[in-house]
Amino acid sequence: MDKVMSNKKVIALYVLPALLLILAIVYIPIILTGYYGLMEWDGVSPMTFIGLDNYQLLLKDGEFWNSVQHSLFLAVVSALSLIAYLLVALVLSSQIKGSNLFRKIYLIPMLMSSVAVAQLWLKIYHPTNGVMNSMLNAIGIENPPLWLADTSIVLGAIFVPIIWQYAGFYILIYYAAFKNIPASLAEAARIDGASPWQIAIRIKLPLIAEVIKVTVVLAVVGSLKYFDLIYVMTGGGPNGASEVMASYMYHKAFRGFDFGYGSAIGFFLLIICLVFTWMIRKLTATKENIEYS
Amino acid sequence: MRKTLLSIVLVLAMLTVLAACGNNNKANTNTEDNAKVPANDGAKVEEPAAEVAEDVTINFMHLWPAGGSPTQNQIVKKIIEEYQTANTNVTIKTEELENEQYKNKLKVLSASNQLPDIGVTWAAGFLEPYVKGKRFAPLDDMLQGNLNGKFVAGTTDAYAIDGVTYALPLELNIVPVYYNKELFANNNLEVPQTYAEFKNVVKTLSDNGVAPIALGNKDRWTGSLWYMYLADRFGGPETLKSAIDRSGTFEDPALIDAAKEIQELVKMNGFNKGFNGLSNDEGKAEFMNEQAAMYMMGTWELPNYTTNPDVAQEFKDKIGFFKFPTIDGGKGDLNSWVGGPGVGLFVSEDSKVKDEAKKFVEFFVEKWGEHSITEAGVIPATKVDTSTIELNQMYIDLLNELSNASNLTLFADVQMKPVAAETHLNMIQALFGNAVTPEEFAKKHEEALSAGK
Amino acid sequence: MNTANTIELQAMGASKSSLMKRIILGFFYLLLVIIAILQVLPLVWLFFFSLKSNQEVFTLAPFVLPNPPRWENYVNVWTQGNISRYFMNSIWITVVSVALTVLLANFVTYAVTRMKWKLSSLVLGLFMVGLMIPVHSTLIPLFNLYDHLNLINHPLSIILSYVAFNLPITIMILLGFYMALPREVEEAAIVDGSSVNRMFFQIILPMTASVMSTTAIINMIYNWNEFIFVNTFISSDELKTLTVGVQNFIGQYSTDWGAIGATLMISVLPILLVFFLLSNKIVEGIAAGSVKG
């Protein structure tokens, strides 16, 4: 068996096309990004080598660290919301009537493009005739919050559509994972007298631990490099109150014509994602892969 | 399952073959369309008065997509058609992008030195990196040749760096304050002549539940217009200008006073609620819905108050404009305007069809003037004889104001170099949002401007 | 179906605190329904939005149907706005990219999880890093690369980019699934003298039907709504996709919102359709899986 399963030719055939593709299209830009980060370059004139100056500047850049804070905040909120998705998926995967339909409906926001989602939420958050403030006015609140203009709440306000858009995605993944658990296991536990709650926590969750790990990484990394809705809805403002790393990078590179610095930010963002992924793996390393046959 | 798999693979194979065929077609059309392929263009075009007209293709990238800027888009199409009919060997291919995406793409293309033959650019600070990188061709020969004297005085200066002109302006804009005459009348208000009267107008409107000014400051440049007028009225036209070109300083008391005044206006609830989080379109909507009484915007906005068929005539009849009032003890006069040339056309320095492109630009600039008045209802940068054209009254009034203008101050974020411009815009948003003091505002500007980027 | 849970619920009903359980169940149900409504609202909103004129977009409340509804927005956009062409482009580019990505991802995941070779972890890691790159920092390097390959303004530049950037997440989703497949099937096949290829195509791949649908949907969503690559690498109108086409309606000084709404509605319909169709497949696939387990 081992001989068949370590047939080098087959492995190469299966892996090489994808690997070459990714090396060419993903890795070359990564390396170039790191390279540009060592340059002073406005994207148009010739580059000048300045070594690690950009990175040193980065470490001292208050606006950048502000954006890092916001990205981290988003990552934490995304990860925590996974708990809610787990619960919903748990309920869905039990024999609730219409779970099929629910599951489909929950994924709808993710099907819509960021442009549509942004427009929708802009209308919801509109200070005078938005859905939120109209409702608040109706119940007597005179000066409802200015969701996207008030720097103290804009970050929270913009996290809502971001989280909301991806809810269906994670619910779908957890649902598929729960459904994959053989019924016999839960059955056996029930016969032993376990309550549904105990079955959920002690049996089901550990069995999909691998999947949970994957989603945590996805949620954290996705949040760290998130760009779309921030850019369209607030442009990172007002005054940087909702800036995240990716939007800051975009501003520096494309608006500020400082492509060297922008690249340094991009590369740094990549490193941060790597670090976090490594941390998450380390923290969850004790869980083993469970195979059931 | 096997059958499904087989069919998937078959479909894939078919699609790949299709894509490959598409490749061939694209390759063929590319060689025809791509102006970079030397085969039949290139060297021969250099010959003066070439008898044998070679087939030439010019790539023109602009920011007037058919859906969003229909009038300008039509004008471009018409001019292209006219030119192609008169010059049958020339084909002009256009690529149309929306404003933000246009700027984005221009950057990317420029980085790989793949700019289109002709494109659209803004003046001064925007232009500079491209000039530094030798991407734009100098166009002085055209200015001294057929286009001599055709431009409104001063408009081409903004497109010149070190005395060489790198683009030719198409648009010219000034910024009045549009106002709703009915809302004013309902509140017993007259057009303010002085700033003190203006603040009274603001207070009265606010007390009576009408948003005095419509503003969407998410994009930041809208708030910058207000600041620029205050800076001008306090310190005169030279103060801001010299602060930017580094012959003066931004920490000039007049500029700080202007910043203080902005925060004063915000405190008085002079602007619609939540303005700092609203886009220009959303801010404008407050004015169009008659929730706000005043709106400061460029003359490009005129069609909405004059000719646009989608806007109700009764609304259009209610709209007038006034000049930003003077400040007691300030140095700016009533006829000093914020405004200047809008977008212009450049020719790529590395274009393989440079001469043909320049010829077309010349033709375009001249034709644009006439069309933009009659069809778009906006002001062109070229001088046009308006005596024979029937024009809307507000348009005529603004044209007259333009010819009587004592000074045009170009938009600050265009005057400044890109990094400083970004700082300026961010500071504007911070100022309006009360996140910085006027002194910090000035200091940050001074730092950014002295960094020289 | 999932007998364990059915029995659970029946048992729940029969026990002494059945009323309490009923209330909890009812509560969960209510919650699920509320969430479902919240997720569907955006579609409803988009539909109304697409029927408004430019002024009504700002004057009318979000959930009010304009009178008269402007169906001409759709007609205009399809005929004059060139949307029909963008639509076809979006379809074929998405289909090809998704098919290619899913196929290659399956190859790689299989090789990494089931075949024995020393570099498997390294290669997997290489793919995972692809998840962490902020897209905007790759624009200029990729443009340069494609330019040298003469692929600018060619659909391949888009397809290759989509495949390369979606491989990591697709592989990630497939990972958990592949790792849980029982070994006996392969052992049996090898004993029967089957080659790796045969085993993969005839036995393993069919077993992945359920998770294939999931990955197909996710890829489809990303590719269909993708914007920045098309905007950067494609210049001629004939090759543009819907997401870029929407931008046509944003002018230098004003925006045609009704047209944007109609375009967004048109662009969300195919995805909704495919999603609902594929969703059923997931259920079938999972049903087949659990019965076996």
Side-chain angles (χ1 to χ4, degrees):
Chain A
M1 162 122 182
D2 271 8
K3 193 145 173 271
V4 177
M5 296 308 264
S6 40
N7 182 340
K8 294 269 192 289
K9 264 201 284 185
V10 175
I11 295 176
L13 177 68
Y14 277 32
V15 170
L16 274 184
L19 192 61
L20 288 177
L21 193 63
I22 232 187
L23 285 176
I25 300 194
V26 173
Y27 275 85
I28 292 186
I30 294 181
I31 296 172
L32 282 178
T33 301
Y35 174 63
Y36 294 151
L38 300 170
M39 302 285 166
E40 163 135 9
W41 190 34
D42 61 4
V44 180
S45 335
M47 308 184 223
T48 34
F49 182 77
I50 56 171
L52 293 174
D53 279 4
N54 278 332
Y55 292 98
Q56 283 176 344
L57 200 63
L58 195 61
L59 292 174
K60 290 187 267 173
D61 185 346
E63 287 174 357
F64 173 67
W65 289 105
N66 188 35
S67 71
V68 172
Q69 229 182 351
H70 297 157
S71 295
L72 285 177
F73 190 31
L74 180 61
V76 168
V77 174
S78 301
L80 288 178
S81 54
L82 289 179
I83 300 177
Y85 305 149
L86 269 175
L87 289 174
V88 174
L90 256 176
V91 177
L92 278 188
S93 59
S94 47
Q95 275 298 80
I96 296 252
K97 252 190 295 190
S99 67
N100 225 355
L101 189 61
F102 277 131
R103 193 175 26 84
K104 292 181 191 176
I105 291 182
Y106 287 171
L107 200 56
I108 287 181
M110 211 191 152
L111 302 176
M112 296 172 68
S113 69
S114 298
V115 176
V117 174
Q119 286 308 315
L120 169 66
W121 281 91
L122 281 175
K123 298 282 180 295
I124 292 181
Y125 280 146
H126 192 278
T128 43
N129 56 26
V131 174
M132 290 289 305
N133 285 2
S134 303
M135 286 196 317
L136 289 175
N137 273 330
I139 61 176
I141 299 184
E142 280 285 316
N143 276 323
L146 301 173
W147 302 102
L148 295 180
D150 188 340
T151 49
S152 48
I153 57 177
V154 63
L155 195 63
I158 207 171
F159 281 177
V160 175
I162 297 175
I163 304 282
W164 166 86
Q165 197 186 10
Y166 283 91
F169 171 71
Y170 292 111
I171 293 179
L172 177 68
I173 293 188
Y174 289 147
Y175 175 84
F178 280 134
K179 277 295 193 192
N180 237 359
I181 299 176
S184 46
L185 288 174
E187 169 70 5
R190 237 211 37 78
I191 290 179
D192 280 349
S195 73
W197 183 248
Q198 280 176 319
I199 294 180
I201 301 287
R202 295 277 181 76
I203 300 188
K204 291 193 180 172
L205 279 188
L207 281 177
I208 64 166
E210 195 57 38
V211 174
I212 295 184
K213 239 202 310 186
V214 166
T215 53
V216 171
V217 172
L218 279 178
V220 169
V221 170
S223 307
L224 288 174
K225 68 169 191 172
Y226 192 75
F227 177 82
D228 288 3
L229 284 185
I230 303 271
Y231 177 67
V232 181
M233 287 180 70
T234 61
N239 196 35
S242 61
E243 190 92 90
V244 290
M245 288 194 280
S247 61
Y248 187 66
M249 179 196 82
Y250 178 82
H251 283 145
K252 283 295 170 192
F254 284 88
R255 296 256 186 88
F257 272 89
D258 196 346
F259 206 76
Y261 191 53
S263 298
I265 298 175
F267 196 69
F268 197 79
L269 175 53
L270 174 66
I271 305 286
I272 291 186
C273 288
L274 279 172
V275 167
F276 270 86
T277 308
W278 179 81
M279 270 175 23
I280 294 176
R281 297 220 114 131
K282 266 285 180 305
L283 284 175
T284 54
T286 45
K287 296 213 164 72
E288 294 167 17
N289 291 343
I290 303 176
E291 267 182 45
Y292 30 76
S293 48
Chain B
M1 192 60 212
R2 195 170 171 192
K3 279 204 205 131
T4 331
L5 213 46
L6 192 57
S7 34
I8 292 180
V9 175
L10 273 176
V11 169
L12 255 183
M14 258 174 21
L15 285 167
T16 329
V17 170
L18 261 175
C21 285
N23 191 352
N24 280 336
N25 280 339
K26 293 292 168 283
N28 287 340
T29 43
N30 267 345
T31 39
E32 279 166 29
D33 301 343
N34 193 336
K36 300 176 195 55
V37 177
N40 38 13
D41 15 332
K44 297 249 172 107
V45 182
E46 248 62 58
E47 278 178 31
E51 283 294 335
V52 181
E54 306 285 344
D55 275 341
V56 169
T57 306
I58 303 180
N59 287 317
F60 177 15
M61 187 165 95
H62 65 77
L63 38 63
W64 298 297
S69 309
T71 33
Q72 284 95 335
N73 185 280
Q74 282 307 314
I75 296 176
V76 172
K77 284 203 169 74
K78 274 199 207 155
I79 299 181
I80 290 182
E81 230 177 88
E82 262 185 72
Y83 191 80
Q84 284 181 160
T85 322
N87 301 274
T88 48
N89 60 314
V90 176
T91 317
I92 299 166
K93 302 202 82 210
T94 58
E95 183 181 348
E96 306 159 9
L97 294 171
E98 168 283 312
N99 203 318
E100 271 310 302
Q101 308 318 328
Y102 177 87
K103 287 190 193 156
N104 215 333
K105 183 135 190 199
L106 196 69
K107 245 325 293 265
V108 177
L109 292 179
S110 174
S112 314
N113 206 359
Q114 294 294 350
L115 284 174
D117 302 306
I118 304 178
V120 168
T121 176
W122 287 260
F126 181 90
L127 193 65
E128 213 195 285
Y130 293 96
V131 169
K132 226 171 52 161
K134 303 209 189 338
R135 297 291 195 243
F136 293 170
L139 300 175
D140 288 296
D141 48 345
M142 288 159 68
L143 274 182
Q144 282 140 23
N146 290 335
L147 294 177
N148 195 2
K150 293 256 171 80
F151 286 100
V152 172
T155 47
T156 49
D157 294 344
Y159 281 93
I161 300 205
D162 290 336
V164 181
T165 316
Y166 288 96
L168 298 178
L170 290 176
E171 310 172 321
L172 180 55
N173 299 297
I174 49 175
V175 181
V177 180
Y178 300 105
Y179 74 106
N180 188 318
K181 295 189 248 191
E182 190 179 83
L183 283 177
F184 265 49
N186 289 349
N187 290 283
N188 292 322
L189 293 169
E190 305 256 322
V191 170
Q193 303 289 336
T194 67
Y195 188 67
E197 286 172 22
F198 177 75
K199 277 174 72 168
N200 187 37
V201 168
V202 170
K203 185 161 184 314
T204 314
L205 287 168
S206 172
D207 287 342
N208 292 344
V210 177
I213 301 168
L215 176 66
N217 204 23
K218 185 164 74 172
D219 305 321
R220 307 163 297 164
W221 58 271
T222 40
S224 172
L225 296 175
W226 284 94
Y227 177 74
M228 291 184 63
Y229 265 118
L230 284 169
D232 175 276
R233 297 300 191 249
F234 269 112
E238 287 309 312
T239 315
L240 185 60
K241 190 134 146 287
S242 56
I244 295 180
D245 69 29
R246 300 280 76 213
S247 54
T249 166
F250 210 97
E251 291 181 284
D252 185 296
L255 297 178
I256 299 184
D257 282 338
K260 285 198 192 138
E261 204 48 51
I262 290 281
Q263 296 193 318
E264 186 55 38
L265 280 177
V266 172
K267 220 178 351 173
M268 288 170 70
N269 289 326
F271 302 101
N272 52 299
K273 263 205 205 148
F275 64 87
N276 232 4
L278 293 176
S279 67
N280 180 29
D281 262 354
E282 291 172 307
K284 179 163 64 168
E286 301 290 305
F287 184 67
M288 304 294 280
N289 293 342
E290 310 198 61
Q291 308 283 341
M294 297 182 272
Y295 181 54
M296 178 189 283
M297 196 37 68
T299 41
W300 58 73
E301 202 60 36
L302 259 182
N304 273 337
Y305 315 125
T306 53
T307 52
N308 188 352
D310 289 335
V311 178
Q313 189 56 41
E314 8 163 70
F315 176 76
K316 294 202 285 240
D317 291 336
K318 293 184 205 174
I319 306 301
F321 74 88
F322 59 83
K323 297 184 273 206
F324 196 87
T326 49
I327 295 182
D328 224 5
K331 303 206 200 116
D333 72 280
L334 198 58
N335 286 315
S336 172
W337 290 82
V338 166
V343 297
L345 289 183
F346 70 81
V347 173
S348 165
E349 173 75 1
D350 292 318
S351 162
K352 298 231 170 37
V353 291
K354 219 178 346 185
D355 286 344
E356 275 298 336
K358 280 173 153 185
K359 261 178 65 188
F360 177 66
V361 166
E362 197 176 289
F363 181 81
F364 191 95
V365 167
E366 290 186 290
K367 292 288 168 182
W368 174 271
E370 305 158 15
H371 284 291
S372 58
I373 294 187
T374 50
E375 287 155 43
V378 294
I379 308 177
T382 41
K383 302 186 198 159
V384 179
D385 181 8
T386 56
S387 51
T388 51
I389 315 176
E390 203 183 294
L391 296 169
N392 182 284
Q393 189 56 45
M394 223 193 324
Y395 190 80
I396 297 179
D397 292 339
L398 279 165
L399 271 184
N400 287 337
E401 294 288 356
L402 181 56
S403 48
N404 292 333
S406 62
N407 161 69
L408 284 188
T409 309
L410 188 58
F411 311 104
D413 62 322
V414 178
Q415 274 187 63
M416 300 183 192
K417 298 189 199 179
V419 178
E422 268 304 291
T423 310
H424 166 73
L425 291 173
N426 287 335
M427 277 295 110
I428 287 286
Q429 199 167 52
L431 185 70
F432 273 81
N434 244 332
V436 290
T437 65
E439 291 78 14
E440 279 167 31
F441 176 84
K443 185 147 164 286
K444 278 270 171 8
H445 273 89
E446 185 59 25
E447 284 169 10
L449 286 166
S450 26
K453 280 209 272 185
Chain C
M1 288 282 284
N2 205 332
T3 48
N5 286 328
T6 332
I7 297 177
E8 245 170 71
L9 289 172
Q10 282 176 6
M12 272 163 69
S15 73
K16 261 188 273 185
S17 46
S18 61
L19 183 61
M20 185 60 181
K21 296 248 160 87
R22 286 247 183 86
I23 293 180
I24 295 183
L25 197 63
F27 174 71
F28 272 134
Y29 228 124
L30 188 64
L31 207 59
L32 284 179
V33 170
I34 292 181
I35 298 179
I37 294 181
L38 285 178
Q39 306 287 69
V40 173
L41 276 185
L43 257 192
V44 175
W45 168 83
L46 185 61
F47 181 57
F48 286 167
F49 185 80
S50 65
L51 293 172
K52 296 184 180 168
S53 76
N54 239 356
Q55 312 304 323
E56 287 167 341
V57 161
F58 290 110
T59 50
L60 284 187
F63 291 103
V64 169
L65 197 59
N67 190 15
R70 291 177 199 267
W71 295 102
E72 60 266 24
N73 280 344
Y74 284 91
V75 176
N76 284 341
V77 137
W78 191 263
T79 51
Q80 296 171 1
N82 233 351
I83 294 297
S84 48
R85 177 177 300 150
Y86 303 150
F87 190 78
M88 297 322 308
N89 285 340
S90 281
I91 288 190
W92 84 263
I93 288 184
T94 301
V95 168
V96 172
S97 310
V98 172
L100 210 52
T101 312
V102 172
L103 193 65
L104 286 179
N106 268 298
F107 278 150
V108 172
T109 319
Y110 179 73
V112 164
T113 53
R114 318 297 287 184
M115 309 278 287
K116 288 192 174 10
W117 45 304
K118 268 186 281 184
L119 295 175
S120 61
S121 302
L122 175 65
V123 167
L124 185 61
L126 278 180
F127 278 104
M128 291 303 105
V129 173
L131 263 183
M132 309 182 191
I133 307 179
V135 159
H136 284 89
S137 64
T138 63
L139 283 182
I140 290 190
L142 269 183
F143 187 89
N144 258 318
L145 175 69
Y146 286 135
D147 192 46
H148 280 121
L149 297 174
N150 256 333
L151 285 179
I152 291 298
N153 209 26
H154 188 288
L156 256 187
S157 62
I158 302 294
I159 294 177
L160 289 180
S161 308
Y162 286 176
V163 175
F165 279 94
N166 283 332
L167 273 174
I169 193 174
T170 316
I171 293 178
M172 236 184 164
I173 296 179
L174 290 174
L175 257 186
F177 192 88
Y178 267 89
M179 289 202 280
L181 288 180
R183 287 259 166 213
E184 295 84 41
V185 179
E186 288 165 313
E187 283 166 8
I190 293 180
V191 164
D192 278 349
S194 154
S195 73
V196 177
N197 282 334
R198 199 132 161 267
M199 196 163 38
F200 181 68
F201 280 101
Q202 290 185 6
I203 302 178
I204 304 289
L205 216 47
M207 285 166 74
T208 66
S210 63
V211 76
M212 274 251 252
S213 308
T214 312
T215 53
I217 290 178
I218 289 174
N219 267 290
M220 203 177 56
I221 295 175
Y222 283 170
N223 294 345
W224 184 264
N225 288 326
E226 201 278 336
F227 171 79
I228 194 74
F229 281 150
V230 181
N231 185 65
T232 311
F233 303 147
I234 301 290
S235 34
S236 62
D237 217 41
E238 299 95 58
L239 298 173
K240 285 190 181 169
T241 59
L242 271 179
T243 42
V244 175
V246 164
Q247 304 291 333
N248 264 355
F249 299 110
I250 301 178
Q252 195 186 10
Y253 300 121
S254 74
T255 309
D256 189 349
W257 293 107
I260 291 184
T263 312
L264 288 176
M265 197 67 204
I266 292 179
S267 85
V268 95
L269 286 177
I271 262 213
L272 267 181
L273 190 68
V274 176
F275 171 62
F276 276 97
L277 287 179
L278 273 186
S279 262
N280 290 326
K281 267 233 123 182
I282 295 185
V283 176
E284 282 171 35
I286 291 173
S290 354
V291 166
K292 216 193 296 185

